Amino acid sequence: MIRIISLDMDGTLVNSRFVDKVWMEGVPRLFAEKMGMDFIAAREYVIGEYTKIGSDQLEWYDLKFWIDKFGLSVGKEQLLELYEDEIEIYPEVEEVLELLSRNYELVVTSNAARDFIDIELDGLEGYFREIFSATSDFREVKKSPLLYGAVCAHMNARPFEVLHIGDHYRYDYESALDAGLDALFLHRKGERQGPEVIGDLREAVELIGGCI
């Protein structure tokens, strides 16, 4: 019987625009200003440096690492605050969290670094018993079955008591299933079909047994 619902963050609870702006506009623009470069050229260089590190390394997710690497004269909090107006919670999220929290314990299980989670979930954190960052809390670069097992252990839950919902097929859906959790794959574009595929979080409530 499900008693805990875990939710991904970017692409599930909040739009990814904020994250994209920080990494693909904020860092390159500051680097361009420092070096006296054209923004497009600076962005190409910065993306090239991102690629050299790659998403399998913890540094990829570490904003302070990149600020230091490029010698930018800004704190990570300042950089994040520059784009906080870009944070957009999906329209159904607060209503869904209110409904689900009546019958289930809610947690966030995100790949994002804690710095991003804290600012993106500002105002929503009260719905969650725990908020987990794979990179900051577990030093894991991907949401592997081992990570989900660690989350279950922290929550004193057996895997079959936890349902995870997220928008990445491999890391939110398949990895969760491999760990023994139940899972729903959120595909907001509606291009994928299946009994465990949802188009928004309202559909999750309906599948879980509630109604909006």
Side-chain angles (χ1 to χ4, degrees):
M1 179 178 177
I2 300 296
R3 65 181 182 86
I4 297 170
I5 296 177
S6 165
L7 296 117
D8 175 49
M9 184 180 69
D10 290 312
T12 300
L13 299 175
V14 298
N15 191 293
S16 61
R17 184 183 299 114
F18 168 73
V19 173
D20 293 341
K21 284 280 190 177
V22 171
W23 290 113
M24 306 305 289
E25 180 178 306
V27 174
R29 188 170 300 284
L30 289 168
F31 184 70
E33 292 172 1
K34 177 194 172 186
M35 302 301 293
M37 295 172 66
D38 173 77
F39 172 72
I40 299 299
R43 185 171 63 184
E44 288 179 359
Y45 176 81
V46 166
I47 291 172
E49 294 300 298
Y50 291 162
T51 304
K52 288 179 185 178
I53 294 293
S55 62
D56 289 334
Q57 302 298 320
L58 283 168
E59 290 84 358
W60 170 278
Y61 307 90
D62 186 344
L63 186 57
K64 186 177 186 303
F65 169 82
W66 294 105
I67 289 172
D68 291 344
K69 179 177 176 62
F70 295 127
L72 306 180
S73 56
V74 66
K76 60 183 179 181
E77 294 83 6
Q78 291 174 288
L79 179 52
L80 292 170
E81 287 170 3
L82 284 174
Y83 293 96
E84 63 181 337
D85 289 344
E86 301 290 344
I87 297 171
E88 181 184 356
I89 299 167
Y90 286 109
E92 81 277 16
V93 165
E94 291 195 61
E95 186 177 8
V96 166
L97 293 179
E98 177 62 34
L99 284 169
L100 293 178
S101 64
R102 296 173 187 172
N103 298 306
Y104 302 94
E105 292 183 281
L106 304 183
V107 303
V108 170
T109 307
S110 173
N111 208 50
R114 178 67 60 183
D115 302 325
F116 284 84
I117 292 175
D118 288 346
I119 191 168
E120 288 185 82
L121 292 185
D122 185 33
L124 294 180
E125 64 270 25
Y127 289 107
F128 302 105
R129 176 179 158 185
E130 297 281 357
I131 296 175
F132 299 106
S133 163
T135 50
S136 298
D137 299 334
F138 298 99
R139 310 300 289 170
E140 291 277 347
V141 297
K142 304 294 182 187
K143 285 185 277 189
S144 67
L146 287 175
L147 172 71
Y148 287 109
V151 168
C152 290
H154 188 90
M155 296 295 295
N156 194 27
R158 291 168 290 185
F160 62 82
E161 295 178 306
V162 183
L163 167 69
H164 181 72
I165 304 170
D167 69 314
H168 194 290
Y169 190 76
R170 176 71 192 105
Y171 298 118
D172 285 312
Y173 182 66
E174 291 184 327
S175 282
L177 292 178
D178 288 345
L181 284 67
D182 200 353
L184 294 175
F185 174 52
L186 173 61
H187 198 264
R188 290 185 178 276
K189 294 181 180 179
E191 297 167 358
R192 190 184 284 260
Q193 305 275 322
E196 294 183 327
V197 180
I198 55 175
D200 64 27
L201 292 176
R202 290 186 182 91
E203 294 180 20
V205 173
E206 293 169 3
L207 284 175
I208 292 165
C211 62
I212 292 183

